[in-house]
Amino acid sequence: MSSASALLEPRTAVPAEDALERYRLDARAWLAEHAPRFSGAVRRGLPLERDVALGRAWQALKAAHGYGAITLPKRYGGGGGTELQKIVFTEEELRYDLPVAYFSISLSNPVPIFLRHAPETFRQRLGPPAIRGEHIWCQLFSEPAAGSDLAALRLRAERQGDGWVLNGQKLWTSWAQIAQWGVIVTRTDPDVPKHAGLTYFFLDMRSPGISVRPIRRLVGHPDLNEVYFDNVYVPDEQRLGEVGGGFRVAIETLMIERYGITDETASSPALEALVELARRARLNGRPALADGEVRAAIARAYVERQGLRSIQKRAMEAIAAGREPGPEGAIRKLLLGRMRQQLGALALDLMGADGIRLDPQGESSRDFAHAWLDPSVRIAGGTDEVLLNTLAERVLGLPQDHRPDKGVPFRQLES
Amino acid sequence: MSSSDAEEALCQIRDQVARLQHRYATPERLKALLDQTVGFDRALWQAAVEQGQPAIAVPEHAGGMGMGWPGLAALMEEVGKAVVSLPLIATPVVAEALLASDDEAPAARYLAPLVSGELIACVAFAEPGQTSPLQRPELACSGDTLNGSKAAAAFAAVADLALVHADADGASQLMLVPLDQPGVTRRTQPGLDNARAHAALQFRDAKAYPLLRGDAAIGKIMARVALATAFEQIGGASACLACARGYALERKAFGQPIGRFQAIKHKLVDMYWRIEIARGCALDALDALEGGNPLWPALAAAARLAAIEAYDFAARENIQTHGAMGVTWEAMPHHYYRRARCLALELGSTQAWREYLLAEAGFDAAAA
């Protein structure tokens, strides 16, 4: 302990931090030069096809400058960079309202898993157009009876010649209607327990027998679809992983991003916007910002945001040092989803009856009504309840829920 | 010293303290402290002094170990976990104020015996009838003379010195008062957590040393106390989670451990995320303090709010997880429940610190 006084010395930046900071500044300058032509007012009121086209152009420009898929290999058109560089770029890119949503799943999960497991000829053919944004890939996982419990999926794949024939339905598939390719988990053996009978493929979304029907959400987002498979043929060379090993590949797909970067409000207006609203709103003849309940809510939101910022910062430090980030990062989605809904409701309270109005051109990131109206952050990618279970079991080591389907052949569960 | 050496030094602190607690923080000893009006474990304090705990955060040039607030944070987290009660925060805070003061006399007289643990200090900011110690005090100060009172403060029953703030002609003034003098009366009463050795202080022409002046300087002193306390609270809350988890794994109902029920699992995760938010806030505030970031008092206030919430919640729900066992004297959960509330109150409540945070963060209503 005698040499501990050195704790008080200012920290000297190590070269790696310098390099990352330079990368950030370069990215910031590059974005400042190019992003305005693809974001903000340019996008207001654009129909989906034109916004997707704008997004493809943005993705192509990024790819030409090494920002298209920062962590993917250069030989397929990626940036060949590090996870931290990707995080830094994403943080900077999130400052703009860019048409990147169409590619976020494609380039985060299906394309990377495809590039890990597909035969080389396919990788060379399909990698570059995906990274340039010419192709969008979708992820065909969930089904009507398999959401949180993915291994309960039913879509059948049966052997036929050198390939497989797929029949069934997928649900909640983001951007299937604009996707050229997709990855899919299917049931190839119903006579073994549910996790063991799954097989994973990639497929051409223009294959005969596929029909995509958009799902209208309670808000205007046109992302979700149901996808029907009617005798869809998939060659066996498009299988990723072993026959019966599909569940493992599916989990690997979901785990690819150790640390997915999301904005800190879950696409709702910043806390500062709520404070401004509370300054202007009147309550009991005073600014609503003077009201104790309003102040309590603001303080709580500030504290949660601060805690999450710190957790994120330490996770980045861990990744930079080659360590695994702590499990506490998993609370982020849980807290952000609830906070978006709660602050949205409070903001509407502060508007009084005017809060009823819903601007048809509004977006959740700028408009509290839209942020409140869509609680899907609390559901997509694992509901709050499933996340609580997962945290309890994986982090706190509590026993798994009672699972009556464990070890039972899938066929016996179907009825 | 590299950061890994620093980390190792902090680990050493944690290990040493944990070993000490293992000897002294037995249920019997802790319960005995609650059963008297002034509960103070002198033997534990002596052992802590022998380990040099009062010196950990004090700069080396002032005779301390120079481990600063990171050292104090590691220490207080262990103290909190073991739900022991030791006057370890006041010493480095008083040292900080003594070193910042223009008057060298009180430092020459008190610094060495405080650092060696020969003298015990306490902080007494709260006043009777006020929810916030962060507002202008009513305790009156004229030159070096104090008149008025402070509400129950931790360790005031056993301390040799108290750090108080007082009103000096409309300005806040930080004062160091030797408590062993005719002008000082201590009043002890049974309380929620007698192991805190609380006493209210009455001053009648008591002599004291003026140290720092001004709301901002004093606010920062309180923010330092708040930050160190946050780590004690985080330690306590973590211990509650561990305690609840242990019970949930061991206790069976309806043919299975209660930890298999989602109601219990989700309750424990609700403890977990509150603790992690508090830890995040506290670590950030610590970084900001060490790095000279001027926002650090706001971050310390955020850490205090998060830590109050985490500890109150964890202590409350730990009792609930224990069912009827949780309301017995013999079981440990009530120690944390009492401690959580006392740590939330002694330095000013959630409401008081919320106002401090919002003002420091620029969200003040006055700015409307």
Side-chain angles (χ1 to χ4, degrees):
Chain A
M1 268 195 264
S2 55
S3 60
S5 63
L7 261 186
L8 301 176
E9 286 170 13
R11 282 189 198 147
T12 48
V14 296
E17 287 174 10
D18 279 350
L20 194 65
E21 197 47 36
R22 212 162 39 243
Y23 182 88
R24 183 188 293 278
L25 294 176
D26 287 348
R28 195 176 288 171
W30 188 82
L31 284 161
E33 186 186 344
H34 299 286
R37 281 184 291 127
F38 297 86
S39 61
V42 180
R43 297 181 61 204
R44 282 305 114 70
L46 280 191
L48 178 65
E49 314 83 75
R50 288 184 53 202
D51 199 47
V52 173
L54 189 71
R56 288 187 201 274
W58 174 242
Q59 182 59 32
L61 186 67
K62 277 164 67 180
H65 289 84
Y67 295 130
I70 288 167
T71 53
L72 294 183
K74 277 189 170 164
R75 62 184 181 281
Y76 306 120
T82 66
E83 194 171 354
L84 270 183
Q85 288 175 340
K86 181 182 178 183
I87 288 165
V88 162
F89 183 83
T90 309
E91 281 175 354
E92 295 298 323
E93 193 183 32
L94 276 170
R95 297 168 191 266
Y96 299 89
D97 159 37
L98 287 155
V100 289
Y102 314 114
F103 306 94
S104 60
I105 292 174
S106 175
L107 293 171
S108 299
N109 309 98
V111 172
I113 199 80
F114 162 79
L115 289 177
R116 278 190 200 177
H117 293 284
E120 181 60 24
T121 49
F122 278 107
R123 291 192 264 197
Q124 285 176 6
R125 201 182 105 209
L126 297 176
I131 289 171
R132 283 195 305 268
E134 288 158 33
H135 292 172
I136 289 167
W137 285 58
C138 64
Q139 182 168 296
L140 299 144
F141 280 18
S142 293
E143 294 184 10
S148 299
D149 182 10
L150 178 63
L153 65 87
R154 294 168 181 221
L155 187 138
R156 286 297 308 272
E158 286 163 305
R159 283 256 186 209
Q160 192 185 87
D162 289 336
W164 302 79
V165 172
L166 277 51
N167 279 291
Q169 184 195 353
K170 290 289 175 181
L171 191 60
W172 318 126
T173 313
S174 291
W175 306 119
Q177 80 274 42
I178 54 172
Q180 281 73 26
W181 290 85
V183 291
I184 187 165
V185 201
T186 66
R187 181 157 309 277
T188 44
D189 186 354
D191 294 314
V192 292
K194 61 179 186 176
H195 293 85
L198 306 179
T199 304
Y200 197 113
F201 301 96
F202 66 94
L203 52 75
D204 189 334
M205 288 298 285
R206 289 154 300 188
S207 307
I210 295 182
S211 49
V212 178
R213 293 184 202 158
I215 293 168
R216 186 170 178 190
R217 288 172 56 172
L218 66 89
V219 288
H221 288 299
D223 53 345
L224 298 183
N225 300 275
E226 45 189 349
V227 184
Y228 290 88
F229 290 77
D230 181 14
N231 289 321
V232 176
Y233 179 77
V234 178
D236 188 56
E237 58 181 354
Q238 291 179 200
R239 171 163 51 80
L240 299 178
E242 303 298 313
V243 174
F247 190 72
R248 206 178 41 74
V249 185
I251 295 302
E252 190 187 338
T253 308
L254 298 173
M255 302 285 281
I256 279 179
E257 289 215 303
R258 272 197 302 179
Y259 221 89
I261 283 297
T262 55
D263 67 303
E264 61 181 19
T265 59
S267 296
S268 60
L271 176 60
E272 282 71 13
L274 182 82
V275 174
E276 278 315 304
L277 192 60
R279 272 192 219 288
R280 290 196 310 271
R282 308 289 293 178
L283 191 61
N284 292 325
R286 295 183 306 165
L289 185 54
D291 176 73
E293 189 185 327
V294 173
R295 295 175 78 69
I298 290 170
R300 201 171 59 245
Y302 183 95
V303 164
E304 276 192 24
R305 180 173 77 176
Q306 189 54 36
L308 290 175
R309 279 181 182 175
S310 171
I311 288 169
Q312 177 114 326
K313 190 178 83 182
R314 282 181 290 138
M316 296 307 108
E317 286 166 2
I319 293 171
R323 285 180 283 118
E324 198 62 32
E328 63 276 6
I331 68 176
R332 183 177 177 89
K333 186 179 103 74
L334 186 68
L335 300 196
L336 289 184
R338 294 174 180 184
M339 189 54 81
R340 167 173 157 157
Q341 199 171 32
Q342 287 163 11
L343 289 189
L346 176 61
L348 298 182
D349 274 339
L350 294 175
M351 297 175 201
D354 286 343
I356 291 166
R357 284 192 296 213
L358 188 69
D359 176 2
Q361 300 294 320
E363 282 170 37
S364 67
S365 59
R366 292 177 295 118
D367 185 327
F368 281 111
H370 281 268
W372 172 80
L373 187 56
D374 180 9
S376 58
V377 179
R378 297 188 53 199
I379 294 161
T383 62
D384 286 3
E385 293 69 26
V386 166
L387 270 177
L388 288 169
N389 272 7
T390 306
L391 282 162
E393 292 169 15
R394 302 261 174 85
V395 181
L396 302 184
L398 291 168
Q400 211 174 50
D401 278 14
H402 178 50
R403 294 190 175 179
D405 55 359
K406 217 165 190 179
V408 180
F410 183 74
R411 199 185 287 284
Q412 291 176 24
L413 302 171
E414 273 186 300
S415 47
Chain B
M1 186 167 67
S2 73
S3 65
S4 66
D5 287 345
E7 197 48 54
E8 198 184 310
L10 295 180
C11 279
Q12 275 183 15
I13 292 186
R14 290 195 189 97
D15 285 352
Q16 277 195 6
V17 176
R19 273 205 301 278
L20 199 64
Q21 313 304 15
H22 188 70
R23 282 235 309 280
Y24 289 92
T26 60
E28 298 70 33
R29 289 179 81 96
L30 293 175
K31 285 173 202 306
L33 295 174
L34 290 183
D35 256 341
Q36 43 198 294
T37 306
V38 173
F40 187 62
D41 190 339
R42 289 259 166 214
L44 171 59
W45 172 244
Q46 276 316 314
V49 164
E50 275 158 33
Q51 280 194 355
Q53 289 180 15
I56 282 175
V58 178
E60 279 176 313
H61 67 82
M65 291 188 202
M67 298 194 65
W69 251 246
L72 186 61
L75 177 63
M76 293 318 295
E77 192 171 341
E78 292 305 319
V79 165
K81 266 187 208 162
V83 72
V84 295
S85 205
L86 288 168
L88 289 165
I89 297 176
T91 296
V93 169
V94 169
E96 188 76 24
L98 285 172
L99 292 169
S101 166
D102 295 332
D103 185 2
E104 287 172 15
R109 178 156 180 193
Y110 291 114
L111 205 45
L114 276 172
V115 173
S116 71
E118 191 188 323
L119 295 182
I120 292 175
C122 69
V123 291
F125 293 129
E127 300 199 336
Q130 284 191 8
T131 51
S132 175
L134 292 151
Q135 60 201 37
R136 190 62 51 78
E138 282 177 19
L139 174 64
C141 159
S142 169
D144 64 353
T145 306
L146 290 174
N147 276 291
S149 57
K150 288 289 180 185
F155 309 111
V158 296
D160 304 289
L161 295 160
L163 190 66
V164 302
H165 68 332
D167 177 77
D169 294 325
S172 286
Q173 174 72 51
L174 194 68
M175 306 286 284
L176 186 65
V177 207
L179 293 177
D180 194 12
Q181 59 169 306
V184 176
T185 314
R186 311 183 209 217
R187 248 199 348 270
T188 58
Q189 283 179 334
L192 290 177
D193 183 357
N194 291 334
R196 298 295 288 163
H198 289 123
L201 298 172
Q202 185 94 40
F203 305 103
R204 277 193 209 87
D205 291 330
K207 294 297 173 195
Y209 297 91
L211 298 179
L212 306 173
R213 201 173 174 85
D215 289 339
I218 294 171
K220 281 181 188 162
I221 289 289
M222 290 191 199
R224 277 181 183 269
V225 181
L227 181 54
T229 306
F231 281 94
E232 181 172 5
Q233 291 165 310
I234 289 164
S238 310
C240 290
L241 175 55
C243 185
R245 177 184 177 274
Y247 192 74
L249 289 172
E250 160 201 312
R251 169 76 184 175
K252 289 192 172 149
F254 307 104
Q256 55 191 320
I258 61 169
R260 199 188 285 277
F261 296 123
Q262 289 194 355
I264 298 292
K265 288 162 94 168
H266 293 189
K267 188 191 288 299
L268 266 51
V269 176
D270 283 341
M271 291 186 198
Y272 171 75
W273 72 252
R274 282 175 171 84
I275 293 167
E276 291 308 318
I277 288 294
R279 191 189 308 283
C281 288
L283 289 173
D284 248 14
L286 194 58
D287 278 354
L289 174 64
E290 293 293 288
N293 178 344
L295 261 181
W296 80 263
L299 301 184
R304 174 158 177 80
L305 291 175
I308 289 174
E309 163 77 5
Y311 201 179
D312 266 344
F313 183 89
R316 181 172 80 220
E317 298 306 323
N318 182 34
I319 291 185
Q320 191 65 22
T321 304
H322 278 73
M325 277 305 288
V327 298
T328 64
W329 179 262
E330 281 70 22
M332 289 309 289
H334 70 103
H335 290 260
Y336 297 101
Y337 190 57
R338 295 168 190 275
R339 185 62 42 82
R341 211 71 286 268
C342 281
L343 293 180
L345 296 174
E346 285 163 5
L347 198 60
S349 62
T350 292
Q351 291 75 13
W353 282 87
R354 174 191 302 152
E355 293 307 307
Y356 182 79
L357 167 66
L358 294 181
E360 291 285 319
F363 295 164
D364 208 332

